[in-house]
Amino acid sequence: MDHPSSSVRVNREPAMTDVARLAGVSHQTVSRVLNGHPNVREETRLRVRAAIAQLGYRPNRAARTLATGRSQLIGVVAQNSTLFGPSSLLAAFELAAAAQGFVVSVRRVKVLDRDSITAAVEHHREQRAAGIVVIAPTAAADEALAEVPTDTPLVTVDGDPERAGAALVTVDQEAGARLAVRHLLEAGHETVWHVSGPADWFDAAGRMRGWRRTLEEAGAEAPPVSPADWSAASGYRAGLMLARMPEVTAVFAANDHLALGILRAMYERGRSVPGDVSVVGFDDVPEAGYFIPPLTTVRPDFDTVAAQALSLLLSGISGEENGTARRVVTPTLVERDSVGSPTR
Amino acid sequence: MDHPSSSVRVNREPAMTDVARLAGVSHQTVSRVLNGHPNVREETRLRVRAAIAQLGYRPNRAARTLATGRSQLIGVVAQNSTLFGPSSLLAAFELAAAAQGFVVSVRRVKVLDRDSITAAVEHHREQRAAGIVVIAPTAAADEALAEVPTDTPLVTVDGDPERAGAALVTVDQEAGARLAVRHLLEAGHETVWHVSGPADWFDAAGRMRGWRRTLEEAGAEAPPVSPADWSAASGYRAGLMLARMPEVTAVFAANDHLALGILRAMYERGRSVPGDVSVVGFDDVPEAGYFIPPLTTVRPDFDTVAAQALSLLLSGISGEENGTARRVVTPTLVERDSVGSPTR
DNA sequence: GCCCGATTCGTTAGCGCTAACATGAAGTGA
DNA sequence: TCACTTCATGTTAGCGCTAACGAATCGGGC
């Protein structure tokens, strides 16, 4: 291989000066054409564009970032999970950001603890990310964020709805839970049992809160909660317990996979759904309509959440927002066949 | 706001020269410490590190990229889907790449057509990505890749197993299908029906090929294929047809969600699984064990696929590979309760 | 003591781009 | 006609970093 500095580099990527030379203008004029500045003669513009096409020139973003001090990069921190909610959110966000011309760089963390989150955020700051989005559904993640310097716009998704002083987009878990519980109550059930998600998730806490408050408002007694994680396996275990108790006629599961496990447990124990017990889930996973029976569930609109997060971040980047705004997205109820009236 | 050039910029990010000044060395020595070069005295190294810590200095990647001409960035092109396979793959890849110190930038495309893929790849090349990974499970996506200039290392995941001249990592769909079909045949079924994925997906084609060849080898006749997409809804529709035909005793579904739809159709039509008909899926989604009945399925190891893709890409980046290597990951069978012997 | 090689550092010159200012030509109003 | 703005372009100076080279210092072997 030849020595880079001792020979003319052949086959190197064309740079702005190459385009300028070919078009017979200065590099700065090329820059102006590229950035859509006014005050460039139409004919010059065309000549430059032709030269760009002829050379196959592509601007070097690193150089631009260095010169301007800002990048078109949005950093995302998310958990390494294939859970439906987070991954839908991520996909929607990536698509929305790309549509706005942003590059999105995702940093997955194995666990949502303070150190991991801090490291991931720091990583993005090192890239000079224009803005950062953290999907922070647990208390530990949210706490870590409190320590982050505020010179980079940052939006939290699914963070602590109670915490002040951070731009936040979240699904109104409580409202979603109310929808589910009220639906069951209106079908005639005296009370509703709850299989909850992991206690340290805000989503789980919010759904539980909504469940409990709705029961209280209706004057119904709240039965003990069956704690679980988000998996079908833990839903199944909880379901086996609930199936043994004849007084259980309605169950609100913190997500659809838990509900799936519950459906399976009920089926195994010979308790018909919705004949003997009604079940409502949360998330509306694409296959929820094909469970046995098709699952009534609560649907959060992830596209909207993603769009809101992006818009909040962009206004943070442009300096319009001080970073304390919050947007709440309200979910809707999707009625299918897993809810019926109690038999007495 | 003050004019950037007419006043000393206050509060600007510390740069290498600031660290150098504080440590009483040249900026180049700071660079050496940062990049772990030898030939720096231990005492100097410590002084530099102390200065870095004191100032909270973080290197500017854009400047480094500009100076070196290479980035630590891997571009990924993927479809905007929440399908279990692709999204698991993506998550696994992001984690693996981050562990190697790479930044991964994901570009989602809405449809896997030529233009979208080309644009997405071009986008990454503009970023001077060190390497590109394309998850290209359809023929259209794969074709688009043929036109891409080869100066950037590129690895295709789930691309055309038949195409030569591209670095490729793929799951051995055919072998997976053989596992499923042979399992059903060994249970005593005379033949196995197939509900396939979309025809333009290599995954679907490979699974179908494996199914057909295994039947041929066993001397069984291959019944007509029920075409579907990957959704539970289309599995359900196909299932309703199959449920009507008493001769159907074994079904191999191209993925677990199709299988779920089939299970539901069989249930509705009063055909017991696995009593009357056996079903095998593909993917081993986390909740497959909680279907009614728990689903026997084929499990591709996405972590391994991701790891192979990364290692292939890295050897491409370091110039060890000419970009024609291929790695094939063989899936395994996960036996649960949805397969039984035919009643005669 | 002297020479040679290794070690440790500093100096210089870009990487490709944008922002700010400079320049010259053309138009405008009195 | 002349000052005065507007437009179209060129020139210059960095952004923060690394690579290449050069200079000083140090430690032996003879």
Side-chain angles (χ1 to χ4, degrees):
Chain A
M1 292 297 119
D2 52 9
H3 201 72
S5 73
S6 66
S7 69
V8 174
R9 278 197 317 169
V10 72
N11 270 343
R12 68 170 237 279
E13 291 261 313
M16 208 173 250
T17 48
D18 301 315
V19 176
R21 200 176 312 117
L22 182 61
V25 296
S26 75
H27 68 212
Q28 179 63 328
T29 297
V30 177
S31 169
R32 279 191 267 256
V33 171
L34 245 38
N35 294 297
H37 283 214
N39 302 350
V40 176
R41 219 182 343 148
E42 194 52 30
E43 191 238 311
T44 313
R45 195 183 299 277
L46 290 171
R47 255 208 340 271
V48 170
R49 285 206 201 290
I52 288 175
Q54 187 182 331
L55 292 177
Y57 166 78
R58 288 166 305 124
N60 183 323
R61 302 248 187 179
R64 175 181 298 194
T65 298
L66 183 57
T68 58
R70 6 188 182 88
S71 69
Q72 286 289 92
L73 194 152
I74 294 177
V76 176
V77 180
Q79 194 181 16
N80 178 40
S81 89
T82 50
L83 286 178
F84 178 74
S87 65
S88 305
L89 195 54
L90 196 54
F93 186 82
E94 283 170 356
L95 203 59
Q100 297 282 323
F102 281 87
V103 179
V104 357
S105 161
V106 181
R107 190 79 175 186
R108 303 260 185 176
V109 296
K110 276 189 182 155
V111 283
L112 284 169
D113 61 3
R114 187 193 220 80
D115 287 353
S116 307
I117 299 277
T118 310
V121 168
E122 185 56 24
H123 167 87
H124 287 310
R125 287 166 44 83
E126 210 168 285
Q127 308 289 321
R128 301 297 187 273
I132 299 177
V133 173
V134 183
I135 302 179
T138 71
D142 204 73
E143 274 169 29
L145 260 27
E147 299 178 350
V148 168
T150 54
D151 55 350
T152 305
L154 190 145
V155 171
T156 305
V157 179
D158 262 358
D160 186 352
E162 305 294 319
R163 190 159 74 93
L168 173 74
V169 180
T170 188
V171 169
D172 192 338
Q173 311 289 355
E174 201 173 322
R178 296 186 110 88
L179 248 33
V181 175
R182 214 170 307 159
H183 182 63
L184 287 164
L185 255 22
E186 281 165 7
H189 296 274
E190 280 189 11
T191 191
V192 176
W193 293 65
H194 182 48
V195 177
S196 80
D200 55 341
W201 283 60
F202 298 121
D203 298 19
R207 290 168 199 180
M208 197 194 302
R209 200 179 322 115
W211 161 76
R212 192 182 300 279
R213 289 198 181 152
T214 309
L215 287 184
E216 278 168 9
E217 284 165 21
E221 203 179 337
V225 169
S226 310
D229 53 30
W230 295 119
S231 74
S234 69
Y236 174 70
R237 284 191 295 272
L240 287 177
M241 308 273 294
L242 294 174
R244 282 220 220 93
M245 306 190 282
E247 69 272 29
V248 174
T249 66
V251 180
F252 167 49
N255 82 350
D256 288 354
H257 288 159
L258 286 174
L260 178 69
I262 294 168
L263 291 181
R264 160 142 199 82
M266 293 296 167
Y267 176 85
E268 269 187 15
R269 288 292 179 262
R271 300 203 64 187
S272 143
V273 178
D276 300 327
V277 13
S278 296
V279 177
V280 175
F282 207 113
D283 271 354
D284 195 25
V285 299
E287 61 274 18
Y290 299 87
F291 289 179
I292 298 174
L295 185 69
T296 292
T297 186
V298 177
R299 164 197 271 274
D301 183 349
F302 295 112
D303 285 344
T304 304
V305 173
Q308 295 283 353
L310 183 62
S311 98
L312 215 53
L313 192 65
L314 293 185
S315 56
I317 291 171
S318 65
E320 290 164 25
E321 277 291 346
N322 51 5
T324 59
R326 64 190 50 213
R327 307 274 174 84
V328 177
V329 177
T330 307
T332 53
L333 185 73
V334 180
E335 293 187 42
R336 296 207 181 89
D337 308 342
S338 62
V339 173
S341 294
T343 49
R344 32 193 86 216
Chain B
M1 292 295 120
D2 53 9
H3 199 73
S5 74
S6 66
S7 69
V8 173
R9 279 196 317 170
V10 73
N11 271 344
R12 68 169 239 278
E13 291 263 312
M16 209 172 249
T17 48
D18 301 316
V19 176
R21 199 177 312 119
L22 183 60
V25 296
S26 76
H27 69 253
Q28 179 62 336
T29 298
V30 178
S31 170
R32 279 190 267 255
V33 171
L34 245 37
N35 294 297
H37 283 212
N39 301 350
V40 175
R41 223 189 332 157
E42 193 52 30
E43 190 238 313
T44 313
R45 195 184 299 277
L46 290 172
R47 258 212 332 275
V48 170
R49 284 206 201 291
I52 288 175
Q54 187 180 332
L55 292 176
Y57 166 79
R58 289 166 305 126
N60 183 323
R61 301 250 188 178
R64 174 180 299 192
T65 299
L66 182 58
T68 58
R70 23 198 166 78
S71 69
Q72 286 289 94
L73 194 152
I74 294 177
V76 176
V77 180
Q79 195 182 15
N80 179 39
S81 88
T82 50
L83 287 178
F84 179 74
S87 66
S88 305
L89 195 54
L90 195 55
F93 186 83
E94 283 170 356
L95 202 60
Q100 298 283 322
F102 280 88
V103 178
V104 358
S105 162
V106 181
R107 188 79 176 184
R108 303 259 185 177
V109 295
K110 277 189 182 153
V111 283
L112 284 169
D113 61 4
R114 188 193 219 81
D115 287 352
S116 307
I117 299 276
T118 310
V121 168
E122 185 56 23
H123 167 88
H124 286 310
R125 286 167 42 84
E126 208 168 286
Q127 308 289 319
R128 300 297 187 275
I132 299 177
V133 173
V134 182
I135 302 179
T138 70
D142 205 74
E143 275 169 29
L145 260 28
E147 300 178 350
V148 168
T150 53
D151 55 350
T152 306
L154 190 146
V155 171
T156 304
V157 179
D158 262 359
D160 186 352
E162 306 293 319
R163 191 160 74 91
L168 173 74
V169 180
T170 188
V171 170
D172 193 339
Q173 310 290 354
E174 200 172 324
R178 296 187 110 88
L179 248 34
V181 175
R182 213 169 308 160
H183 182 63
L184 287 164
L185 256 22
E186 281 165 6
H189 297 274
E190 281 189 10
T191 191
V192 175
W193 294 64
H194 181 47
V195 177
S196 80
D200 55 339
W201 282 59
F202 298 122
D203 297 21
R207 289 168 200 180
M208 196 193 302
R209 199 179 324 117
W211 161 76
R212 192 182 301 278
R213 289 200 181 150
T214 310
L215 288 184
E216 279 167 8
E217 284 164 21
E221 203 179 337
V225 169
S226 310
D229 54 31
W230 296 118
S231 74
S234 70
Y236 174 70
R237 283 192 295 272
L240 287 178
M241 309 271 295
L242 295 174
R244 281 219 221 95
M245 306 191 282
E247 70 271 29
V248 175
T249 66
V251 180
F252 167 48
N255 81 350
D256 288 355
H257 287 159
L258 286 173
L260 178 68
I262 294 168
L263 291 181
R264 158 141 200 83
M266 293 297 168
Y267 177 84
E268 269 188 15
R269 289 291 178 263
R271 300 202 64 185
S272 141
V273 178
D276 300 325
V277 14
S278 295
V279 177
V280 175
F282 206 114
D283 270 356
D284 195 25
V285 298
E287 61 273 18
Y290 298 88
F291 289 179
I292 299 173
L295 186 69
T296 291
T297 187
V298 177
R299 165 197 271 274
D301 185 348
F302 294 113
D303 285 345
T304 304
V305 173
Q308 295 283 354
L310 183 62
S311 97
L312 216 53
L313 192 66
L314 293 185
S315 55
I317 290 171
S318 65
E320 290 164 25
E321 278 291 346
N322 51 5
T324 58
R326 64 189 50 213
R327 307 275 175 82
V328 177
V329 177
T330 306
T332 54
L333 185 73
V334 180
E335 293 187 43
R336 296 209 181 89
D337 307 342
S338 62
V339 173
S341 295
T343 51
R344 34 195 84 213

